[in-house]
Amino acid sequence: MSASDSHRENPDGPTPEAEKDALAQKLRCVVEQTADIVLITNVQGVIEYVNPAFEHITGYSRQEAIGQKPSILRSGLQGRDFYAQLWRTITQGKIFHDTVVNRRKDGSLYFEDKTITPLFDEEKSLMGFVSTGRDITERLRSQKRLSFLANNDPLTRLPNRRHFTAMLEQACRRIDNLGHSLVVICLDLDRFQLVNKAMDTPRADEILKRLARRLRERLRKDDLLARLDGDRFAVLLEGPNAEAEARIVTDKLRAALKRPFVGEDEDIILTASFGIACHPGEDDSDPLHRAEEALREVKRQGGNDIGWFTPDHQPAARQHLSLRSRLHRALEQAEFVLHYQPQVDAERHRIVGVEALLRWQPPEEDPVYPDVIIPVLEETGLIVPVGEWVVAEACAQLRRWRDAGLAPFSMAVNVSARQIGRGDLLQAVLDSLGREDLVPADLHLEVTESLLIDDDPRLDGIFHALHETGVALDIDDFGTGYASLTYLRRFPFHTLKLDRLFTADLDRRADNATIVSAVVRMARGLGMEVVAEGVESAGQARILRNMGCDCLQGYLFSRPLPAADLETFLRTGGPETTNPA
Ligand code: C2E
Ligand code: MG
Ligand code: MG
């Protein structure tokens, strides 16, 4: 009988019976075709029905499942209590909902987001249970992957700074109740940037990975080790004697570095600096912050040592913070000034150049010197705008002196390698020269030797471009940095500035004189001029002249002076008054 026949037989539409059948048919299709697992049991929990999704996901066929209990799927990972609770819930006629860890026929695990509903007949008596569930194994796996990525460092697979901070916060809360103490040990490799520079990234990364493994091996399972960033690691120790243990653990970590890292061409020996802070400690501030402050102090003292946070660092740390925020405003509030120090020729002490030196002059306070402000400007990136201001202001001052008929000399400006790596120094220099109608040869840029090493590969390009414009590049503080000779050949330096450490002992120590004289000869052999810094006595000036130094700079001739004072100094005879002739 076709559908149209039944219509003719029953002109008012399908009978309720037929409608019920059609609906039941549809429901069966839904259950059979859904991607969710459907399983029906009788009141005793014996399986009466499973759908194709069940067969597909569990690996058990319908024939294998029917007549069994769902316990065939148990993984053993959830205890008796869990199933007792499940059974209690559904036999009380309530709905059970939770994640169940099950085992497939092939033994592998899957996670099921499961709901079990008791089934009642029309008389409200229990006739069985229907369980529906969804396989969420993949979802959990990707959640786990995501959370791993968010909390771990991909290179070493150690927890990252974010995770460390979260665990530290938890631990701080926990120990207050337990009466324990905790210790944070921060470790930072000394001069790792040299290794980074000397070898390609994959090999430097390999060293960090091996270091991470060595550190991990020396710690207990419960000690947390994290890679905070770059070559900085942190350890969290917790327990009743954490402070005493910290000494032992730090020694162990130090010992982990004793063995060289064997490389393809050469073995690398690394040292590290350590900063340690305890909680409860000197105050209730963040122990990681305090450990890093102690670490900074060790680094300031030259590294390769262990430093415990002491409250003495605290004012320094606070000062540091307030310095940062005050320096942010200093530029717009015109609180930076330049002082100028003459450079004279060694023969007649005539002024051939001046060096612009930065000072910060907060209102009503003493001036602050570059050794305090330059590191903070570099750290915050402010070195770029401030450095550009220095170039512009020095050029403008030179123009003012030229216009006053005072300055047949050049202007030297200090630039930090970090400033070169970040900003567009070339453009700033060209703009300033153009604005003041100066030629590139009027300007010297002094770059500190020690800063050359830990910076950018872009330096080569920028230095050569600057050189091509005709601006003179001077290597500053020569003799205090590393790999000096390599850099002399690599970059097109015009002048070598001998550090004042060499000048200081010149008239007292013979070996110093030998070194200085060799450096002067070498520099001149490479076609460079030599300026000696820190000349304080006539004796030093004489020795340097005899060694072949071209120029001298130092308190003997003048301290760095504000522009107006230097002007007065020049008008009243200037450095030539020290002329030996
Ligand atoms: P530098 O370029 O080597 O400057 C010479 C430093 O030696 C100056 O210190 C100067 O005051 C000091 N000095 C000069 N003659 C004598 C002397 O006879 N005896 C002694 N004991 N010291 C002398 P200052 O001004 O404190 O500058 C320190 C360093 O700060 C500079 O060393 C330079 O590297 C950096 N710096 C200064 N101004 C700037 C700047 O505008 N930008 C950047 N990036 N660095 C700057
Ligand atoms: Mg200088
Ligand atoms: Mg210098």
Side-chain angles (χ1 to χ4, degrees):
M1 183 172 52
S2 72
S4 55
D5 289 341
S6 79
H7 261 271
R8 235 175 288 131
E9 269 182 25
N10 185 355
D12 298 321
T15 62
E17 277 310 303
E19 260 184 347
K20 245 186 175 166
D21 279 354
L23 192 61
Q25 175 66 22
K26 268 191 196 149
L27 281 174
R28 192 163 23 252
C29 286
V30 170
V31 171
E32 289 275 313
Q33 286 167 28
T34 177
D36 290 349
I37 300 166
V38 179
L39 172 152
I40 300 173
T41 72
N42 64 15
V43 187
Q44 285 76 39
V46 177
I47 300 173
E48 294 177 335
Y49 168 83
V50 294
N51 72 343
F54 173 96
E55 295 181 288
H56 177 68
I57 291 166
T58 66
Y60 289 103
S61 69
R62 189 169 286 179
Q63 292 78 359
E64 287 169 321
I66 290 175
Q68 300 283 350
K69 289 196 166 176
S71 54
I72 52 166
L73 300 171
R74 276 194 195 176
S75 64
L77 293 178
Q78 287 161 310
R80 281 165 184 276
D81 291 354
F82 179 82
Y83 294 100
Q85 171 66 22
L86 181 161
W87 192 241
R88 214 173 307 126
T89 308
I90 57 177
T91 50
Q92 284 171 359
K94 296 186 205 144
I95 294 173
F96 169 88
H97 183 176
D98 208 340
T99 302
V100 182
V101 191
N102 279 337
R103 204 176 283 285
R104 298 180 227 268
K105 190 179 170 190
D106 67 8
S108 62
L109 295 176
Y110 70 97
F111 293 78
E112 187 178 336
D113 180 23
K114 199 185 216 15
T115 306
I116 307 178
T117 318
L119 282 177
F120 297 99
D121 62 15
E122 277 150 17
E123 272 83 50
K124 299 241 164 40
S125 51
L126 191 64
M127 32 184 272
F129 305 98
V130 57
S131 155
T132 56
R134 177 158 293 186
D135 181 0
I136 55 167
T137 317
E138 247 332 290
R139 196 172 81 203
L140 289 181
R141 233 180 242 149
S142 54
Q143 270 170 5
K144 215 171 144 196
R145 260 197 304 271
L146 281 180
S147 121
F148 185 84
L149 286 178
N151 289 307
N152 291 74
D153 155 45
L155 180 70
T156 60
R157 304 183 74 78
L158 289 176
N160 58 16
R161 183 183 283 271
R162 170 196 152 109
H163 188 56
F164 188 84
T165 312
M167 299 307 280
L168 178 60
E169 270 170 25
Q170 277 180 24
C172 284
R173 281 197 296 273
R174 189 168 53 228
I175 59 154
D176 289 343
N177 301 326
L178 291 173
H180 284 179
S181 58
L182 58 83
V183 173
V184 174
I185 307 172
C186 261
L187 172 166
D188 194 294
L189 292 176
D190 298 322
R191 304 192 185 288
F192 189 65
Q193 67 271 30
L194 290 182
V195 175
N196 241 333
K197 189 121 196 162
M199 49 178 56
D200 46 23
T201 313
R203 280 161 65 204
D205 281 356
E206 187 51 39
I207 290 191
L208 287 175
K209 270 161 64 178
R210 279 157 61 189
L211 171 65
R213 275 201 299 273
R214 283 195 197 175
L215 297 175
R216 189 61 267 178
E217 279 163 9
R218 281 178 169 69
L219 295 166
R220 292 170 309 197
K221 203 168 94 288
D222 293 342
D223 303 334
L224 180 65
L225 170 69
R227 178 176 176 221
L228 298 181
D229 35 45
D231 55 346
R232 182 167 294 191
F233 295 81
V235 178
L236 174 61
L237 307 177
E238 184 186 336
N241 298 316
E243 200 171 326
E245 279 161 16
R247 293 169 205 280
I248 302 165
V249 171
T250 312
D251 285 341
K252 281 198 210 161
L253 297 178
R254 261 191 132 176
L257 286 162
K258 283 261 160 60
R259 234 174 342 117
F261 290 85
V262 181
E264 277 170 29
D265 319 320
E266 55 176 339
D267 294 353
I268 292 153
I269 297 178
L270 292 172
T271 62
S273 304
F274 294 83
I276 309 176
C278 308
H279 178 86
E282 301 72 17
D283 57 35
D284 52 8
S285 70
D286 175 11
L288 176 59
H289 184 82
R290 278 183 283 133
E292 291 195 286
E293 190 52 46
L295 177 69
R296 258 194 291 280
E297 188 57 35
V298 172
K299 291 254 169 188
R300 266 197 286 271
Q301 309 286 336
N304 192 13
D305 205 350
I306 301 170
W308 289 71
F309 179 86
T310 69
D312 298 349
H313 300 153
Q314 196 60 15
R318 289 228 179 89
Q319 246 173 26
H320 187 73
L321 274 182
S322 86
L323 192 62
R324 277 173 86 127
S325 52
R326 291 177 66 198
L327 282 174
H328 265 287
R329 292 190 304 263
L331 188 59
E332 57 198 58
Q333 300 189 345
E335 290 171 1
F336 288 116
V337 286
L338 292 180
H339 284 187
Y340 299 90
Q341 187 178 35
Q343 298 173 337
V344 304
D345 77 88
E347 290 297 330
R348 303 190 50 196
H349 294 186
R350 266 190 315 216
I351 180 165
V352 290
V354 293
E355 177 175 6
L357 294 157
L358 184 66
R359 273 93 184 93
W360 173 37
Q361 183 56 76
E364 321 272 320
E365 285 177 50
D366 290 337
V368 187
Y369 287 86
D371 54 335
V372 176
I373 48 183
I374 300 290
V376 183
L377 294 177
E378 285 181 338
E379 224 174 273
T380 51
L382 281 171
I383 192 70
V384 174
V386 174
E388 287 175 0
W389 174 82
V390 171
V391 173
E393 177 54 26
C395 288
Q397 185 56 55
L398 187 61
R399 169 50 49 212
R400 288 193 282 273
W401 280 330
R402 287 266 162 98
D403 290 346
L406 270 174
F409 49 74
S410 60
M411 174 66 72
V413 166
N414 293 281
V415 291
S416 83
R418 286 194 191 112
Q419 162 186 2
I420 301 176
R422 287 188 205 166
D424 192 348
L425 181 67
L426 180 62
Q427 197 54 51
V429 163
L430 294 177
D431 286 350
S432 293
L433 290 174
R435 199 167 38 239
E436 307 301 343
D437 194 20
L438 297 169
V439 294
D442 289 330
L443 190 66
H444 285 239
L445 296 178
E446 296 189 4
V447 189
T448 307
E449 182 207 20
S450 57
L451 280 181
L452 287 178
I453 24 176
D454 46 55
D455 236 300
D456 238 79
R458 284 176 296 179
L459 283 185
D460 287 86
I462 299 168
F463 279 178
H464 283 95
L466 281 166
H467 176 65
E468 251 147 53
T469 64
V471 170
L473 289 172
D474 299 353
I475 184 159
D476 204 354
D477 305 335
F478 186 83
T480 54
Y482 301 83
S484 318
L485 301 177
T486 329
Y487 285 98
L488 289 188
R489 270 192 317 183
R490 185 169 139 200
F491 299 120
F493 289 116
H494 177 278
T495 300
L496 180 152
K497 293 192 76 180
L498 204 57
D499 192 73
R500 65 168 179 273
L501 281 179
F502 287 107
T503 311
D505 279 343
L506 213 50
D507 36 9
R508 289 193 295 271
R509 285 183 50 181
D511 53 348
N512 219 7
T514 314
I515 296 174
V516 174
S517 128
V519 170
V520 173
R521 273 203 304 276
M522 177 198 65
R524 303 207 48 163
L526 287 167
M528 281 184 264
E529 280 188 13
V530 181
V531 177
E533 299 181 308
V535 181
E536 295 184 356
S537 74
Q540 291 167 343
R542 203 174 43 248
I543 297 173
L544 288 160
R545 184 194 59 194
N546 292 340
M547 281 177 177
C549 257
D550 302 278
C551 295
L552 310 174
Q553 178 180 352
Y555 294 169
L556 174 64
F557 313 104
S558 165
R559 291 187 175 250
L561 296 172
D565 295 357
L566 186 78
E567 206 171 309
T568 315
F569 177 63
L570 292 176
R571 287 190 197 283
T572 54
E576 281 177 72
T577 49
T578 57
N579 191 343

